[in-house]
Amino acid sequence: MSETPGQPEPAEEFDLAAFMRDFEKRMTSLRGEALPVRNLVDATSVRMVSEGGEVAVTANIAGALVDVEFLPPSASLSAVEQAALVVQTYEEAADAARERTHDIVAGFVDQSARTRELARRMVEEAKERRTDTER
């Protein structure tokens, strides 16, 4: 390559279409990998949409922010208005998620208790069968 003094070399052309295809491919892969975790997040989260449908905010049962979506009606709002809606909707989602904590934890505890009871019955049945076989 010869350089002409005072003239920059031409930059490589950026292939946006190829970049977007690769990006979509990677996102699809990540979504697949995240599915088991996503199901847990969904089960322990609350998604709230602002009254006018401008933003959707997801908070987990600890009240932590999990996701923010700007929906089509948000395009007509200023950045300050969008931010205010995010904060307001987040507070509502966090409050609702924290209120669900008891129900979600109780469900996990109930499932654990059912599992322990099933295990206990299986052990008892196995003991009875062994006793019957030894006779």
Side-chain angles (χ1 to χ4, degrees):
M1 275 201 256
S2 66
E3 289 187 29
T4 308
Q7 291 200 359
E9 285 190 40
E12 280 189 39
E13 191 170 317
F14 181 71
D15 187 350
L16 181 59
F19 174 82
M20 290 306 294
R21 282 191 303 273
D22 184 57
F23 178 77
E24 284 296 323
K25 182 179 171 184
R26 288 176 189 230
M27 288 304 297
T28 299
S29 176
L30 285 173
R31 283 185 197 106
E33 291 172 18
L35 190 57
V37 175
R38 185 75 220 174
N39 291 335
L40 180 60
V41 169
D42 289 345
T44 59
S45 299
V46 170
R47 180 178 185 268
M48 299 286 282
V49 178
S50 62
E51 191 173 309
E54 301 90 352
V55 297
V57 177
T58 304
N60 67 17
I61 60 173
L65 182 64
V66 176
D67 191 26
V68 175
E69 297 171 68
F70 291 92
L71 305 172
S74 71
S76 64
L77 302 176
S78 71
V80 171
E81 291 170 320
Q82 289 176 349
L85 275 173
V86 167
V87 170
Q88 177 185 349
T89 308
Y90 163 64
E91 289 172 352
E92 293 169 3
D95 288 345
R98 281 190 292 265
E99 288 173 9
R100 288 189 57 208
T101 302
H102 175 73
D103 296 336
I104 291 169
V105 171
F108 288 140
V109 170
D110 289 347
Q111 179 63 36
S112 178
R114 286 191 296 272
T115 301
R116 283 194 314 272
E117 178 60 21
L118 175 61
R120 187 194 62 73
R121 279 186 293 170
M122 291 173 69
V123 167
E124 290 299 318
E125 289 174 10
K127 284 180 185 176
E128 288 175 15
R129 275 182 281 190
R130 187 174 54 201
T131 302
D132 290 346
T133 309
E134 292 174 354
R135 290 183 193 170

